[in-house]
Amino acid sequence: MPLCAICKQDTPRGRLQERLALPEYRSMIGFWPWITIRVCDGCLAAHERNLRERVHLLARDVVENDEPIVRRVCVACGRAEAGDDFREAAKWLDATGAPTRRCRFYLCGDHAHVPYAEGIVVSSNLTGREPMAALVDELPTVSPSIVERAEGWRLGEGQGPADAEDFTPQRSRDETLDAALAWWQETPEGLEAKGAALGPVRRDYKMRYRLDLARDFEDGRRITLAVLRTDPETFATYRLAGEAVTGHRLG
């Protein structure tokens, strides 16, 4: 009698259902195949919950590493069933607003237009004020101690990071939205690609309290508008300059 892959109990064949096994990182980006297993009725709900959680965690890491997710699995809900209603989304857009670079992923029909999904910013869905507002509303209120530890400056001093330009504190939500949307929609000369992400993300830690709207230029520059919520109703914005290196994380 066949065994359930989860509980390892004997189960009548008719009561086993075929499901995807929990993937590894290399399955998400295409180096390993996705494995199919058989699951009994009693284990099905728990397995599907675990599959969604694993997909969410791995998808976030894949996108932060500028890798593509090769299988049609929704990064918003974790749905991985075959179907025709999946839509490809992108982290990076070119100067015309079309998807560019390798980092592509999928959303199912129910989540095709979301601007944010489980830690992933869907740059290709930032098409106007409403999705940008939904994204800004996801930002948590950051504590001064976190900012000082992660970026080396103090919120209360009104100076911003030492290497930042155009630091503007005490912005209302509407002012912040206007600034973020204007930055995102502008197409400066020499723009090669633009992308959005929550950060900062580094090798030694991952924090997602800041919205980074990055512009990469053909001459190798990266200029980022950073947005963070300093209290429930107030935001700060500033610009950071650096090097545009494809295949590396924003931040």
Side-chain angles (χ1 to χ4, degrees):
M1 186 174 291
L3 301 179
C4 169
I6 307 300
C7 66
K8 310 300 182 183
Q9 298 297 312
D10 293 344
T11 307
R13 181 175 296 276
R15 300 189 61 182
L16 286 175
Q17 301 192 41
E18 192 173 89
R19 289 292 186 272
L20 290 172
L22 301 184
E24 300 292 338
Y25 183 95
R26 283 175 282 189
S27 302
M28 301 289 282
I29 61 177
F31 284 96
W32 282 2
W34 288 58
I35 299 169
T36 299
I37 60 174
R38 293 185 177 275
V39 183
C40 71
D41 293 343
C43 295
L44 190 60
H47 174 71
E48 291 183 342
R49 181 180 64 251
N50 291 337
L51 178 64
R52 288 193 299 271
E53 292 175 353
R54 176 69 68 87
V55 166
H56 288 155
L57 290 172
L58 293 180
R60 186 183 304 166
D61 287 342
V62 171
V63 173
E64 284 172 350
N65 286 324
D66 273 346
E67 297 278 5
I69 297 175
V70 298
R71 186 182 178 91
R72 291 190 174 191
V73 52
C74 179
V75 299
C77 68
R79 176 187 155 198
E81 293 86 359
D84 297 328
D85 61 339
F86 281 88
R87 174 180 175 180
E88 188 180 65
K91 175 180 178 179
W92 293 98
L93 309 176
D94 66 16
T96 69
T100 188
R101 298 185 179 173
R102 298 177 63 242
C103 186
R104 310 291 177 90
F105 47 91
Y106 291 93
L107 295 164
C108 69
D110 291 339
H111 300 98
H113 301 289
V114 298
Y116 174 81
E118 297 292 333
I120 297 172
V121 178
V122 187
S123 298
S124 51
N125 282 348
L126 295 180
T127 55
R129 188 178 180 84
E130 184 175 346
M132 184 65 76
L135 179 56
V136 168
D137 288 343
E138 290 287 342
L139 291 176
T141 300
V142 64
S143 71
S145 61
I146 288 179
V147 173
E148 185 172 5
R149 185 168 73 250
E151 301 186 43
W153 62 281
R154 297 181 179 180
L155 282 174
E157 294 182 351
Q159 299 294 325
D163 57 348
E165 297 181 0
D166 196 23
F167 176 71
T168 310
Q170 301 298 316
R171 277 189 146 164
S172 69
R173 178 179 179 273
D174 285 342
E175 290 171 339
T176 302
L177 281 176
D178 290 342
L181 192 59
W183 175 268
W184 182 251
Q185 292 181 334
E186 184 183 13
T187 308
E189 185 176 354
L191 179 69
E192 186 267 325
K194 63 181 181 180
L198 296 187
V201 176
R202 301 178 182 175
R203 292 182 183 275
D204 53 343
Y205 63 77
K206 297 181 180 182
M207 296 184 181
R208 299 180 179 88
Y209 62 80
R210 191 180 77 187
L211 172 61
D212 288 353
L213 302 175
R215 293 172 174 173
D216 283 0
F217 290 86
E218 294 171 352
D219 61 4
R221 292 175 298 136
R222 172 174 293 177
I223 302 177
T224 302
L225 179 70
V227 180
L228 68 160
R229 187 193 297 268
T230 53
D231 66 46
E233 303 298 330
T234 306
F235 298 80
T237 61
Y238 49 92
R239 294 200 311 270
L240 300 168
E243 180 183 359
V245 182
T246 59
H248 282 60
R249 299 181 176 112
L250 292 177

